[in-house]
Amino acid sequence: MLQNSGLDIKKSSRHEVKEIEVSDEYSNLVNLASKKDLEIIFSQVGIGITVQKPNGELMFANDIGAKMIGFKSPGELINIPVKKIMEKFEVFGEDGGSIPIEAFPGRRALMGESPKEMVLKFKIKDSKVERWASVKATPVFDKDGRVIFAINTFNDVTEKKRVEIELRNSEARLKFLTKASRVLASSLDYKKTLKSVARLAVPHIADWYAIDMLNNKEVELLVVAHVDPKKVAWAKELRKIDPVDLDAPNGIANVFRSGKSEIYPLVTEELIKASSVSKKEIEVIKKLGLISVMLVPIKIRGRVVGVITFVSAESKREFNKSDLELAEQLAGRAALAIENASLYKKVEEEKKRLSNVVANVPGVVWEAYGEPGSQEQRMAYVSEYIIRLLGYSVKDWTSRPNFWLSIVHPDDVEETLKRTKENFRRGSGGVVQFRWVAKDKRVVWVEAQTAVIKNSEGKSVGMRGVTVDITSSKEAELNNHRLAAIVESSDDAIIGQDLKMRITNWNLGAEKLYGYSADEMAGKSILIIVPRDKKEEMREIMEVIRLGEGVDHLETTRITKNGRMIDVSLTISPLKDTSGKVIGASGIGRDISSSKELERRKDAFIGMASHELKTPITSIKAYIQVLQSKYRQSRDEVALKYLDKTNDQLNNLTELVNDLLDLSKIQTGRLELEKQQFNLGDLVRDTVETMQGLTQRHKIYLEGNENVDIVGDKNRIGQVLINLINNAIKYSPEAEKIILNVFRKGNKVTFTVKDFGIGISRTHQKRIFDRFYRAAGKSEKTFPGLGIGLYISSEIVRRHGGNIWVESVKRRGSTFFVSLPLR
Amino acid sequence: MSKILVIDDDSGIQDALAAILEFDGHEVQLEVSDERVLTMEDRELPDLIILDLLLSGKDGKTIAKGFKNNDRLKHIPIIMLSAHPSAQQSALESGADDFLAKPFDMDVLLKKVRSNLKDDR
């Protein structure tokens, strides 16, 4: 505007002196325009212009310029003393600090400087008006370099500044909120984080920051912050002395009650007076230097749990709507942080509780996702019991797909996977039994009870369940199977019955032997297969069983389904329950009919054979004896000697054959006794005489005799005597005497045969009367004989109703006793 | 010099008996059954019969009974021979005059033969 004027105002450095050349144009202008016109022009200009005299007084100002510094019109400004002007306003810099006169651009220009443009805030005293202007000042020199005046221009940038400030505030708020959010989210210890936020809020957002929390109807001060720690201590103390009264009509109490924020952008004297605060409170407000207050509630699901207080004091900041929004946002985040913490705590407690419950389940509680066996399978959860059970860590289980399958026993893998997959695809749970191999190679039987997890569309996505250790019961089960199989596959008849003789078990062997099926016999009495004459025997056996004893290899008879009588050998034992009480009996029976039959045939054969043997023996004996007679006549001593020996051997042979024949008779029950009355004494005498003739070495003494008559088979009794005397001779080869005695006592007569031979040991004494038993020891030579002599003798004595026994001392000798009844 | 008839189906026994009896100076006729006896002429009849209890086909006791019921033969003494000593009782009941168990002693046999012959006379 002034570009084409005559006035050339050139920018110059301090040291350059400018000539003012008043151009023709200016002159023209001066001539053209009147002062009034100039005034009009300047008043239309959009910037404030003032022209200062070197003494600071203004010689010109336009409207805007005047208003800028608080004057209504330029007229008021012109030529009044500087001091008066300065009273009108205060000047602040961008940083908020006041600017001294010397620093004013105008002043500096008057000094001849060319100051930089400054953005200044003009605060008009006595009013709230503040305006920001970009101030430029330029000195005008005369031809001598003296400043004749300074030109100030004021460019109103109030709006711009406001926007700038607002933007900065917004940025600060956002930064604060972001930081605060991060802090609040950083930890579940909301008490700690809310305290940390104080450091961000103070002094950037407010001068004071405090949080009160509602704890069981009591208000607790959580945190109070201020840059001055002394003031913080004072505030804490104050709160202690004067805690928040929830019934109070306003303030924090009101916020707790209403749940609504409160903002007092500017607390003035009037406001205080108008409010119903107490004197004490007024004091506090004054002491705080409280200018502006914001109270925002922390709400969790509609319930107010705390109140955040922001106070502006020293900074003189006046909280506005945006500040309140910020505070509310913070409160919102705080609420979230508190809620998160409490939820988290609840979850942790639940988890712990659940974990405790799970830990006590005697099984593995697990949850897995993905199809079993596929690469997508993963174990989401497995309880710690797994460590106890198998020795693998939880990490092992969750580290790779299908770990659970990799430790299934190789024999069970295929079946287990198949069944598990089936359950999964079908979408229904199930029970699967299989073996796992523990880390220490132990085999563990388990039973998995599973359920399928489905998504909202009903598709199977995983499985969960409990897998329990069933090793002991499984082993018991397998053992039972094994035992049952053994029983079933046995050829022998295995029968179980209770104490009332009702059949509880009947194996295949029993079916085969007796002809009845297990179904037919279940619950029926065992007496069905017992012949009439053996029923009493069966009852006696049960008596023995009740006492906890059994019978071993009892030979008896039974009847089959088709009425056939069979010979069986039974071993019956008592069945006891776990407490030891007898609850039944179990018997193993074997068909011995064939073996019995065989024995019968054998015995019959022996009988027949020995009978047959007698024939050639008779012949031989006859010839021997004829020869003996012949040689006696011819007195051939040598021939006679040999023939005697031959005859002796023949007699031995005869004796053996006779014994066999007797044995066979006893076995087949055909030993017939021809009972007659005879004199025992005579028999004994005759026998002793005969026997003495057979031995040179021994002398047989008859120390006592009884001339009693007894009834019996004379031959057989004689046979017994001969057997005993023979044995005495045989078994005392070193001795020289054998003593016989016969005596009567009561209604019995007893004869004894005593030798002084090798004797019989205790253990053998019990067995010498057994069939086929022969005395023989490692060091002793075996004695000739079949070992049936005493057996036959004992049979004969028994058949006579008598008794036979022995008293003996090893290496001293033996005494055999036979007692027979008289009459 | 007496004539002794031996009825036994075993040749070994027959020969043995013959050896003993002939040594003692008796005449011995050997038969396996009672057939010949029943058809013998009076002058051919023996002075003594030694009869085995067990003959193939026939029971010795029945034969003995038969002899004793026969007028012509009943006077002849019979010594029954058996492997079973316990058969003595029933042997004597069936009519035998004496009994000898096998195997026997030569002396015992001869004694019985002599005594039965003497009785007869």
Side-chain angles (χ1 to χ4, degrees):
Chain A
M1 160 191 62
L2 287 172
Q3 257 175 322
N4 294 326
S5 74
L7 201 65
D8 283 317
I9 301 167
K10 298 191 177 83
K11 273 202 179 128
S12 68
S13 75
R14 207 178 158 197
H15 304 289
E16 265 181 49
V17 169
K18 274 286 127 31
E19 285 264 321
I20 296 181
E21 304 204 325
V22 178
S23 69
D24 291 332
E25 282 165 341
Y26 179 64
S27 310
N28 290 342
L29 193 67
V30 166
N31 293 331
L32 281 174
S34 67
K35 192 160 175 261
K36 209 147 194 119
D37 292 329
L38 278 171
E39 278 175 8
I40 293 169
I41 294 167
F42 284 128
S43 66
Q44 294 305 308
V45 150
I47 54 174
I49 299 174
T50 63
V51 181
Q52 259 179 314
K53 295 195 280 205
N55 66 353
E57 284 175 10
L58 293 175
M59 54 187 257
F60 172 80
N62 69 352
D63 277 319
I64 297 176
K67 289 211 176 88
M68 185 68 62
I69 51 177
F71 290 86
K72 290 201 179 70
S73 69
E76 292 175 25
L77 254 236
I78 307 286
N79 296 325
I80 61 171
V82 179
K83 234 192 257 156
K84 269 229 150 82
I85 300 172
M86 298 318 292
E87 281 169 7
K88 267 283 191 183
F89 59 88
E90 281 176 282
V91 178
F92 299 94
E94 282 189 281
D95 58 8
S98 68
I99 305 289
I101 287 188
E102 301 78 53
F104 282 15
R107 272 297 149 137
R108 289 178 56 203
L110 285 173
M111 294 283 127
E113 293 171 26
S114 294
K116 277 209 173 94
E117 187 177 340
M118 284 176 86
V119 175
L120 300 169
K121 181 163 84 171
F122 291 87
K123 186 155 188 274
I124 312 300
K125 291 191 192 170
D126 300 337
S127 81
K128 284 246 195 85
V129 175
E130 281 178 9
R131 300 205 78 82
W132 284 90
S134 170
V135 182
K136 260 207 288 240
T138 317
V140 174
F141 302 94
D142 65 11
K143 56 183 192 317
D144 298 321
R146 280 197 306 265
V147 178
I148 45 173
F149 52 80
I151 304 176
N152 298 307
T153 55
F154 300 84
N155 204 359
D156 191 320
V157 292
T158 310
E159 271 314 303
K160 215 164 64 165
K161 203 65 187 173
R162 209 206 324 266
V163 168
E164 216 179 274
I165 290 171
E166 231 353 86
L167 207 70
R168 228 182 298 141
N169 281 347
S170 283
E171 270 176 32
R173 275 195 286 267
L174 196 67
K175 223 190 244 175
F176 166 75
L177 203 59
T178 308
K179 277 202 195 137
S181 299
R182 216 179 297 151
V183 166
L184 287 172
S186 69
S187 153
L188 285 166
D189 186 350
Y190 63 85
K191 289 190 180 167
K192 191 167 106 195
T193 54
L194 284 172
K195 283 188 189 155
S196 303
V197 167
R199 258 174 266 133
L200 297 168
V202 170
H204 310 284
I205 305 293
D207 296 312
W208 287 91
Y209 163 93
I211 302 185
D212 288 288
M213 298 294 291
L214 190 64
N215 208 357
N216 276 344
K217 300 224 167 121
E218 293 245 329
V219 176
E220 217 182 274
L221 179 67
L222 179 65
V223 58
V224 58
H226 189 275
V227 284
D228 185 352
K230 280 208 214 90
K231 285 207 166 158
V232 171
W234 166 77
K236 280 192 183 156
E237 206 45 51
L238 183 70
R239 187 51 77 76
K240 265 202 214 128
I241 301 168
D242 190 15
V244 172
D245 176 13
L246 280 171
D247 295 322
N250 44 25
I252 292 173
N254 199 25
V255 176
F256 268 116
R257 261 197 312 271
S258 66
K260 293 202 171 59
S261 314
E262 287 185 0
I263 176 170
Y264 303 97
L266 186 60
V267 176
T268 58
E269 285 282 351
E270 290 84 31
L271 201 67
I272 295 172
K273 284 203 188 102
S275 76
S276 48
V277 289
S278 65
K279 268 217 163 59
K280 223 197 278 168
E281 281 172 314
I282 296 175
E283 252 182 70
V284 169
I285 291 170
K286 286 227 158 79
K287 186 135 186 227
L288 280 174
L290 195 149
I291 299 285
S292 196
V293 186
M294 287 189 298
L295 301 166
V296 289
I298 303 176
K299 282 196 269 201
I300 295 179
R301 270 171 273 160
R303 204 166 52 91
V304 181
V305 303
V307 174
I308 310 182
T309 307
F310 293 92
V311 171
S312 164
E314 294 86 347
S315 66
K316 304 221 194 301
R317 182 176 164 162
E318 290 169 29
F319 294 128
N320 57 21
K321 207 166 58 146
S322 303
D323 292 317
L324 186 64
E325 261 173 44
L326 173 70
E328 283 174 344
Q329 293 239 4
L330 180 68
R333 298 231 188 335
L336 219 79
I338 296 168
E339 197 174 5
N340 272 354
S342 102
L343 281 174
Y344 187 82
K345 192 162 149 218
K346 272 208 196 100
V347 166
E348 283 300 296
E349 274 168 13
E350 266 308 301
K351 259 171 69 173
K352 205 178 198 169
R353 205 159 59 81
L354 193 66
S355 189
N356 276 338
V357 168
V358 164
N360 284 319
V361 169
V364 183
V365 179
W366 54 270
E367 191 172 276
Y369 288 93
E371 177 160 347
S374 71
Q375 272 305 106
E376 290 74 43
Q377 197 269 2
R378 57 179 181 86
M379 194 66 81
Y381 170 79
V382 66
S383 66
E384 287 192 2
Y385 187 81
I386 201 72
I387 303 171
R388 204 180 343 153
L389 184 65
L390 297 172
Y392 289 105
S393 68
V394 170
K395 192 148 177 269
D396 290 330
W397 281 83
T398 52
S399 62
R400 61 174 195 272
N402 301 303
F403 178 83
W404 71 275
L405 192 62
S406 71
I407 57 165
V408 170
H409 192 281
D411 294 341
D412 299 337
V413 172
E414 202 180 311
E415 184 64 24
T416 307
L417 182 61
K418 188 168 113 189
R419 306 252 316 261
T420 310
K421 263 195 157 102
E422 263 169 32
N423 286 340
F424 180 81
R425 286 190 183 145
R426 248 207 334 252
S428 63
V431 178
V432 186
Q433 286 186 357
F434 55 89
R435 284 165 289 178
W436 263 328
V437 180
K439 200 162 188 184
D440 60 0
K441 305 293 177 225
R442 260 177 322 119
V443 172
V444 176
W445 269 100
V446 294
E447 183 175 279
Q449 311 222 350
T450 66
V452 176
I453 306 171
K454 299 191 188 142
N455 66 8
S456 51
E457 288 133 37
K459 179 166 173 279
S460 299
V461 293
M463 295 181 89
R464 61 166 72 98
V466 180
T467 301
V468 181
D469 182 352
I470 55 163
T471 306
S472 44
S473 61
K474 193 70 177 175
E475 274 170 9
E477 189 188 306
L478 288 173
N479 210 38
N480 280 345
H481 283 320
R482 224 174 289 134
L483 291 172
I486 290 171
V487 164
E488 212 36 45
S489 64
S490 169
D491 276 339
D492 293 337
I494 301 179
I495 300 170
Q497 62 192 79
D498 62 16
L499 288 173
K500 293 207 172 84
M501 292 198 270
R502 287 180 301 216
I503 291 167
T504 57
N505 300 82
W506 188 267
N507 80 335
L508 201 62
E511 285 187 2
K512 281 198 218 148
L513 183 60
Y514 296 113
Y516 296 98
S517 74
D519 290 329
E520 284 178 280
M521 289 308 270
K524 302 261 185 8
S525 170
I526 191 95
L527 294 172
I528 294 176
I529 55 167
V530 178
R532 197 168 336 137
D533 60 334
K534 297 290 183 190
K535 288 202 204 286
E536 191 51 44
E537 177 191 68
M538 191 64 212
R539 277 182 249 272
E540 280 172 12
I541 292 171
M542 287 315 285
E543 275 311 307
V544 169
I545 291 288
R546 261 181 264 268
L547 296 170
E549 298 290 318
V551 295
D552 201 22
H553 294 104
L554 173 77
E555 289 185 4
T556 179
T557 54
R558 291 286 180 266
I559 336 169
T560 66
K561 188 172 182 182
N562 45 22
R564 191 165 64 94
M565 195 81 105
I566 50 170
D567 292 297
V568 292
S569 168
L570 300 176
T571 298
I572 307 177
S573 318
L575 278 176
K576 296 183 185 163
D577 66 11
T578 43
S579 63
K581 189 163 76 100
V582 177
I583 55 169
S586 107
I588 304 181
R590 185 170 295 171
D591 183 356
I592 55 167
S593 307
S594 50
S595 62
K596 263 260 183 274
E597 179 59 34
L598 200 64
E599 219 178 279
R600 273 190 278 268
R601 297 221 296 255
K602 181 177 45 96
D603 289 330
F605 171 78
I606 290 174
M608 189 262 307
S610 43
H611 184 267
E612 289 299 304
L613 284 169
K614 283 198 179 182
T615 306
I617 291 172
T618 309
S619 244
I620 298 170
K621 199 172 173 84
Y623 289 118
I624 298 292
Q625 292 187 330
V626 168
L627 282 172
Q628 275 178 320
S629 298
K630 268 196 136 70
Y631 285 117
R632 228 174 273 131
Q633 282 179 355
S634 65
R635 294 200 218 283
D636 188 339
E637 296 298 330
V638 173
L640 269 174
K641 189 164 86 170
Y642 290 150
L643 286 169
D644 277 342
K645 284 209 187 305
T646 311
N647 199 36
D648 283 344
Q649 288 309 316
L650 217 48
N651 285 338
N652 283 343
L653 186 59
T654 307
E655 198 186 305
L656 289 172
V657 169
N658 277 332
D659 279 349
L660 275 177
L661 199 55
D662 283 342
L663 177 69
S664 136
K665 282 196 191 142
I666 292 170
Q667 289 305 107
T668 56
R670 288 185 299 119
L671 184 76
E672 286 148 15
L673 297 178
E674 296 200 354
K675 293 205 176 159
Q676 51 180 222
Q677 191 169 311
F678 67 92
N679 188 292
L680 182 65
D682 289 339
L683 176 64
V684 171
R685 258 186 298 273
D686 291 340
T687 311
V688 167
E689 204 182 300
T690 315
M691 293 307 284
Q692 183 65 84
L694 297 175
T695 174
Q696 269 94 356
R697 190 191 173 87
H698 299 82
K699 182 99 176 69
I700 306 175
Y701 296 95
L702 185 56
E703 277 184 0
N705 207 349
E706 296 277 349
N707 262 327
V708 281
D709 280 347
I710 59 167
V711 174
D713 187 323
K714 186 173 172 193
N715 281 331
R716 292 296 185 183
I717 299 295
Q719 186 180 344
V720 172
L721 255 174
I722 291 169
N723 175 232
L724 293 178
I725 297 171
N726 252 340
N727 282 346
I729 295 171
K730 193 155 69 164
Y731 291 101
S732 62
E734 314 286 314
E736 285 162 355
K737 63 180 177 192
I738 295 165
I739 304 173
L740 263 83
N741 205 339
V742 188
F743 56 88
R744 187 157 57 165
K745 194 156 166 201
N747 60 347
K748 288 209 196 9
V749 64
T750 308
F751 58 85
T752 64
V753 177
K754 186 180 174 75
D755 72 66
F756 299 88
I758 60 166
I760 306 161
S761 70
R762 261 270 140 80
T763 36
H764 290 317
Q765 280 174 34
K766 293 188 206 117
R767 325 245 330 248
I768 49 168
F769 296 106
D770 289 351
R771 194 161 40 136
F772 310 133
Y773 194 84
R774 288 210 308 181
K778 278 177 280 185
S779 51
E780 297 154 8
K781 61 181 177 119
T782 51
F783 293 89
L786 293 170
I788 50 179
L790 279 175
Y791 173 68
I792 295 169
S793 294
S794 73
E795 270 301 301
I796 294 168
V797 169
R798 197 182 61 81
R799 291 279 296 273
H800 280 85
N803 270 325
I804 179 168
W805 70 96
V806 66
E807 281 173 14
S808 177
V809 179
K810 212 153 159 57
R811 283 187 283 270
R812 295 269 197 84
S814 316
T815 308
F816 280 83
F817 294 74
V818 174
S819 74
L820 295 166
L822 291 167
R823 279 258 155 258
Chain B
M1 182 68 171
S2 356
K3 181 176 177 184
I4 302 177
L5 176 67
V6 172
I7 308 179
D8 197 316
D9 60 352
D10 186 280
S11 58
I13 303 287
Q14 282 182 349
D15 290 342
L17 281 168
I20 295 172
L21 294 167
E22 278 164 5
F23 178 79
D24 205 41
H26 306 283
E27 188 191 321
V28 180
Q29 181 173 344
L30 301 172
E31 294 295 330
V32 292
S33 71
D34 60 344
E35 261 179 58
R36 280 299 313 274
V37 186
L38 296 167
T39 56
M40 258 180 202
E41 306 240 336
D42 281 358
R43 55 183 169 83
E44 290 173 299
L45 289 175
D47 302 305
L48 180 75
I49 300 177
I50 297 181
L51 170 64
D52 196 313
L53 191 65
L54 216 58
L55 291 170
S56 50
K58 264 201 171 139
D59 178 25
K61 286 188 279 192
T62 318
I63 295 172
K65 264 208 193 104
F67 285 171
K68 289 303 176 192
N69 287 338
N70 190 314
D71 285 330
R72 273 199 325 133
L73 308 167
K74 66 180 178 202
H75 68 276
I76 309 175
I78 303 174
I79 301 179
M80 200 80 107
L81 202 63
S82 172
H84 301 278
S86 47
Q88 177 166 356
Q89 189 93 334
S90 50
L92 294 173
E93 277 166 16
S94 65
D97 298 281
D98 209 338
F99 178 84
L100 183 62
K102 288 191 283 192
F104 46 78
D105 261 334
M106 190 174 98
D107 296 333
V108 174
L109 171 67
L110 289 178
K111 203 152 94 179
K112 281 195 195 276
V113 163
R114 275 188 217 122
S115 88
N116 276 291
L117 281 171
K118 196 157 72 187
D119 286 345
D120 178 49
R121 293 261 149 73

